[in-house]
């Protein structure tokens, strides 16, 4: 394993080096939080694909393929569909808003009265997303180094916190681009063909497995519907995803770059399911489907290649973890802390070094909190389900309603967030965290509250709507701070 260890260590060292290099570029709030809003289509596509395809999409996607066959692709496939929908229908308008958070968008649309509560819901979602990604380090480092769970979480989490704190979104963008390349080579170009060949090819796989493994709908219609509701719609409104949209250098980049990333996700989904199906042929009696990825990598790949594919798994986890971490810190600082201490709304702080330092502090604090929470929790699926149920049940209706229905009001949005969020929490306590009912009923109650209260209250002020339309059209947005003259540090 010496060669494999070397590959992993070089990869981890490269991540820290990217963080240090990114620190030299992050000289304004815009640089630190949204990479200066100037990413081109290639880098934007790579980083967007990297953040949405995390450990759950890689290790979990292969596990679903092991359990259900080709229909196990549906979870990751619905993520790709959500990213495609966001890119084609909403991304250009979102990018033109020139905001930093989803709650800022709600303030612009409704007149500034839903920010703190929506910020708390979004913060809870991004926190749990970061926690679930951090827990996944334990699985990977256990395969690599037979490492204690707590130590693995601390090691992996500390590296992500370090490069995220140093350079913010610039560091995360650079590392995500590397991680995208590593995942493409490791999973699509190496593991996929090797796994199929080792399993004897598709003919042998079909001969050895039940026909249900090759049924595109074998996982079940209700499960597919739930994936669409949680993941496809979740992609439309998550702060971690929107914050990447904010990095696009133009409307065209946001639309077409995101479309390329979404298409890549669809290919990645099928690849994971095929790898899992091949693993079922090779190892029919694994204790857990989630062991399929690590087992086939450890036992079937040659030296060096094995290290690269494990680095790809690590890259998948790190990209989601870092994206969720900066989103969590951005929401905590800009939507919760700044509002609670009475910061003036609408003030443009771009270019201020104090703003950069303040956001660094929040990333560090949130990072430590994520690591501690990850050590305390064991069930990744439950934590991720809580995160997406809160996000979809509490925020989907007021966000999409604000974008699509001009009659929606601030009171309706606030009622929707509160009713949907509380309903989801109460229903999870009643039906169980993994039940489908909480998000179904929570979403319906959120919609009912939004429509009823909006129609029962006066329409949004015409001046607020006019300012909103101007921002959607790219007019009236804050001027981008001029880039500071480069200086040696």
């Amino acid at each position: 394993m010496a060669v494999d260890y070397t590959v992993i260590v070089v990869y981890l060292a490269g991540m820290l080096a990217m963080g240090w290099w990114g620190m030299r570029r992050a000289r304004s709030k815009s640089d630190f939080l949204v990479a200066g809003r100037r990413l081109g289509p290639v880098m934007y596509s790579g980083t967007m694909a990297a953040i949405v395809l995390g450990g759950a999409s890689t290790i979990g996607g292969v596990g679903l393929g092991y359990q259900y066959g080709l229909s196990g692709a549906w979870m990751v496939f619905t993520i790709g569909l959500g990213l495609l929908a966001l890119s084609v229908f909403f991304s250009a308008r979102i990018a033109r808003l020139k905001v930093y958070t989803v709650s800022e968008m709600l303030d612009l649309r409704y007149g500034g009265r839903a920010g703190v509560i929506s910020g708390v819901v979004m913060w809870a979602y991004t926190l749990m997303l970061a926690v679930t990604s951090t827990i996944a380090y334990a699985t990977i480092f256990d395969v690599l180094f037979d490492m204690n769970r707590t130590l693995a979480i601390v090691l992996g989490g500390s590296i992500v916190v370090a490069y995220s704190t140093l350079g913010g979104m610039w560091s995360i963008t650079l590392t995500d681009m590397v991680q995208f390349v590593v995942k493409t080579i490791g999973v699509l170009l190496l593991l996929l063909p090797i796994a199929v060949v080792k399993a004897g090819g598709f003919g042998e796989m079909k001969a050895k497995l039940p026909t249900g493994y090759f049924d595109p709908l074998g996982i079940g219609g209700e499960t597919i519907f739930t994936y669409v509701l949680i993941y496809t719609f979740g992609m439309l409104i998550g702060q971690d995803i929107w914050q990447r949209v904010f990095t696009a250098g133009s409307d065209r980049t946001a639309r077409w770059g995101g479309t390329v990333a979404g298409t890549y996700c669809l290919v990645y989904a099928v690849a994971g399911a095929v790898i899992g199906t091949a693993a079922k042929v090779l190892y029919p009696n694994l204790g857990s489907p989630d062991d399929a990825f690590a087992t086939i990598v450890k036992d079937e790949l040659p030296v060096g290649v094995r290290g690269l594919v494990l680095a790809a798994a690590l890259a998948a986890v790190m990209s989601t973890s870092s994206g969720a971490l900066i989103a969590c810190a951005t929401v905590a600082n800009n939507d919760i802390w700044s509002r609670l201490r009475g910061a003036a709304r609408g003030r443009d702080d771009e270019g201020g070094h104090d703003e950069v330092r303040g956001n660094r502090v929040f990333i560090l604090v949130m990072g430590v909190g994520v690591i501690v929470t990850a050590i305390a929790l064991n069930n990744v699926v439950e934590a991720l389900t809580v995160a997406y149920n809160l996000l979809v049940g509490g925020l989907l209706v007021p966000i999409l309603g604000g974008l699509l229905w001009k009659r929606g009001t601030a009171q309706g949005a606030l009622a929707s967030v509160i009713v949907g969020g509380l309903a989801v929490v109460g229903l999870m306590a009643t039906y169980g965290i993994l039940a489908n009912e909480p998000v179904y009923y929570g979403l319906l109650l959120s919609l009912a509250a939004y429509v009823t209260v909006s129609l029962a209250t006066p329409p949004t002020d015409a001046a607020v709507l006019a300012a909103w339309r101007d921002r959607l059209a790219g007019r009236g947005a804050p001027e981008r701070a001029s880039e500071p003259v480069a200086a040696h540090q």
Side-chain angles (χ1 to χ4, degrees):
M1 293 285 288
V3 175
D4 297 323
Y5 291 159
T6 301
V7 172
I8 298 296
V9 170
V10 168
Y11 167 76
L12 294 176
M15 295 300 98
L16 293 174
M18 291 286 184
W20 181 261
W21 191 81
M23 181 179 70
R24 302 177 64 84
R25 300 199 63 171
R27 300 178 183 181
S28 70
K29 179 180 178 180
S30 176
D31 284 337
F32 193 82
L33 294 182
V34 291
R37 305 187 195 274
R38 58 179 184 267
L39 293 191
V42 174
M43 186 166 282
Y44 179 85
S45 298
T47 57
M48 182 62 88
I51 188 176
V52 300
L53 296 174
S57 300
T58 304
I59 298 170
V62 172
L64 287 171
Y66 183 89
Q67 190 171 3
Y68 298 105
L70 298 186
S71 66
W74 273 107
M75 184 186 78
V76 183
F77 203 83
T78 55
I79 290 174
L81 292 177
L83 186 51
L84 284 171
L86 174 70
S87 302
V88 172
F89 298 113
F90 300 110
S91 62
R93 283 186 284 174
I94 292 170
R96 286 196 294 266
L97 290 174
K98 295 292 189 288
V99 295
Y100 292 102
T101 68
V102 174
S103 292
E104 286 182 47
M105 167 264 170
L106 292 173
D107 278 354
L108 281 171
R109 168 60 182 81
Y110 295 111
R113 281 174 283 179
V116 173
I117 294 177
S118 63
V120 169
V121 175
M122 188 63 77
W123 174 80
Y125 157 72
T126 53
L127 177 70
M128 296 311 295
L129 186 62
V131 166
T132 56
S133 300
T134 304
I135 291 173
Y137 295 128
T139 301
I140 297 171
F141 281 108
D142 178 56
V143 174
L144 288 172
F145 307 115
D146 194 23
M147 187 179 290
N148 172 269
R149 178 182 183 274
T150 299
L151 183 59
I153 289 173
V154 171
L155 176 60
S158 296
I159 292 171
V160 169
V161 171
Y163 72 69
S164 300
T165 302
L166 284 172
M169 187 59 84
W170 264 121
S171 293
I172 292 171
T173 297
L174 294 169
T175 54
D176 277 1
M177 197 62 201
V178 174
Q179 289 159 354
F180 169 75
V181 173
V182 171
K183 277 192 286 193
T184 301
I185 295 173
V187 175
L188 296 185
L189 301 184
L190 292 175
L191 182 58
L192 174 62
I194 290 174
V196 172
V197 169
K198 291 282 188 178
F202 285 104
E204 188 69 14
M205 290 162 62
K206 285 186 176 181
K208 289 188 175 181
L209 294 174
T211 56
Y213 266 74
F214 301 91
D215 179 359
L217 304 178
I219 199 170
E222 184 179 355
T223 299
I224 295 170
F225 178 73
T226 303
Y227 285 159
V228 170
L229 199 61
I230 293 178
Y231 296 116
T232 300
F233 285 110
M235 287 294 107
L236 298 180
I237 59 173
Q239 169 68 24
D240 52 322
I241 309 302
W242 276 41
Q243 199 157 343
R244 295 310 174 98
V245 176
F246 301 151
T247 67
S250 67
D251 293 358
R252 184 180 177 85
T253 294
R255 182 180 293 111
W256 293 109
T259 301
V260 170
T263 304
Y264 178 90
C265 291
L266 303 183
V267 174
Y268 200 88
V270 175
V274 171
I275 292 168
T277 304
K280 183 67 175 179
V281 173
L282 295 168
Y283 311 99
N285 299 310
L286 290 179
S288 168
D290 286 341
D291 294 336
F293 181 89
T295 302
I296 197 168
V297 170
K298 196 171 184 179
D299 293 351
E300 302 298 336
L301 299 186
V303 173
V305 173
R306 179 172 50 204
L308 183 60
V309 173
L310 287 172
L314 200 56
V317 175
M318 283 186 161
S319 58
T320 300
S321 181
S322 59
L325 176 59
I326 194 171
C328 178
T330 302
V331 170
N333 187 15
N334 291 269
D335 292 338
I336 301 175
W337 174 246
S338 293
R339 296 166 194 261
L340 292 179
R341 74 182 182 187
R345 286 194 182 98
R347 181 166 57 88
D348 183 12
D349 292 315
E350 293 200 33
H353 287 280
D354 288 343
E355 279 292 305
V356 174
R357 282 200 295 270
N359 282 291
R360 275 201 179 104
V361 169
F362 266 86
I363 289 179
L364 182 60
V365 171
M366 291 297 108
V368 172
V370 165
I371 292 171
V372 171
T373 307
I375 292 171
L377 291 179
N378 284 314
N379 196 314
V380 178
V381 175
E382 288 191 359
L384 195 62
T385 302
V386 169
Y388 273 99
N389 281 355
L390 279 173
L391 177 70
V392 174
L395 291 178
L396 177 67
V397 170
I399 292 171
L400 292 188
L403 289 169
L404 301 173
W405 190 42
K406 67 179 181 179
R407 186 60 181 83
T409 66
Q411 296 89 341
L414 196 59
S416 178
V417 173
I418 294 172
V419 170
L422 292 178
V424 164
V425 172
L427 290 165
M428 283 192 293
T430 302
Y431 287 98
I433 289 176
L434 298 180
N436 293 327
E437 287 84 358
V439 72
Y440 293 167
Y441 299 145
L443 191 55
L444 289 174
L445 289 171
S446 177
L447 177 62
Y450 181 70
V451 173
T452 302
V453 176
S454 291
L455 293 176
T457 51
T460 304
D461 185 84
V464 172
L465 284 178
W468 165 253
R469 286 193 293 269
D470 284 343
R471 290 290 286 269
L472 279 180
R475 302 185 300 267
E479 292 294 328
R480 181 187 296 172
S482 59
E483 292 302 319
V485 177
H488 296 291
Q489 294 185 350

